[in-house]
Amino acid sequence: MNNYNLSEINESFDLIFAISTFTHLLRKDATDYLKSIRNLIKPNGCIYITCFIIDEYFYRFSNETGKHTNLIQKEDGCFYGYEKQDFFCGYTPSIFDEMVSSCGFKIVSYEIGNWAKKPGSRTYQDTFVLIPY
């Protein structure tokens, strides 16, 4: 069940931020949210999204530290877990790209996050800038 209803918004936006939103959504909900955002963004607008990307850095970090071992792949390319009472998730790069492109967006910027001690990271979560196509 979705906890949001963006269809009632009758405006369009140049810039939309979704910070730490996609780290707490099941794949279907994340896709629905992206579709809703697609209807709100202006043709030349952009979206700034943060999430967790499950990549080789994640696996190395998890194996070396034992952290984030509760993230379990529940759907193809989608990993879900709980920490204390909070649900969180991560996506493989290919699944995240597929979700984004299926909703009418193109990734124009990607920066790795420090959440899994990814080298050269400047922010905690992985960050993306998307534009509509």
Side-chain angles (χ1 to χ4, degrees):
M1 184 170 114
N2 297 333
N3 295 356
Y4 54 85
N5 184 0
L6 301 178
S7 64
E8 295 177 5
I9 300 173
N10 294 320
E11 297 182 50
S12 58
F13 300 90
D14 295 311
L15 177 63
I16 295 175
F17 288 91
I19 298 173
S20 201
T21 301
F22 289 85
T23 55
H24 303 285
L25 296 174
L26 297 172
R27 180 179 179 178
K28 182 192 179 320
D29 293 334
T31 301
D32 289 346
Y33 204 85
L34 282 168
K35 288 176 183 175
S36 294
I37 290 172
R38 182 65 178 91
N39 292 326
L40 297 173
I41 197 74
K42 289 182 179 178
N44 60 345
C46 67
I47 297 106
Y48 180 89
I49 289 179
T50 67
C51 65
F52 295 137
I53 295 297
I54 306 299
D55 55 16
E56 67 275 5
Y57 300 117
F58 161 78
Y59 289 113
R60 185 178 320 136
F61 175 76
S62 185
N63 288 335
E64 290 174 0
T65 66
K67 294 183 178 182
H68 306 309
T69 56
N70 56 346
L71 268 176
I72 299 169
Q73 185 168 230
K74 294 287 189 171
E75 296 181 62
D76 183 33
C78 297
F79 293 72
Y80 304 136
Y82 286 89
E83 191 159 308
K84 298 181 183 167
Q85 78 280 5
D86 292 329
F87 169 79
F88 66 104
C89 66
Y91 311 98
T92 61
S94 60
I95 289 299
F96 187 75
D97 186 55
E98 179 184 307
M99 288 169 38
V100 165
S101 62
S102 72
C103 295
F105 292 107
K106 177 174 131 179
I107 297 170
V108 294
S109 175
Y110 167 46
E111 287 196 41
I112 58 176
N114 191 40
W115 69 281
K117 302 299 182 217
K118 298 178 182 185
S121 57
R122 299 182 300 167
T123 60
Y124 182 68
Q125 294 185 16
D126 298 290
T127 61
F128 293 86
V129 175
L130 313 176
I131 59 170
Y133 63 81

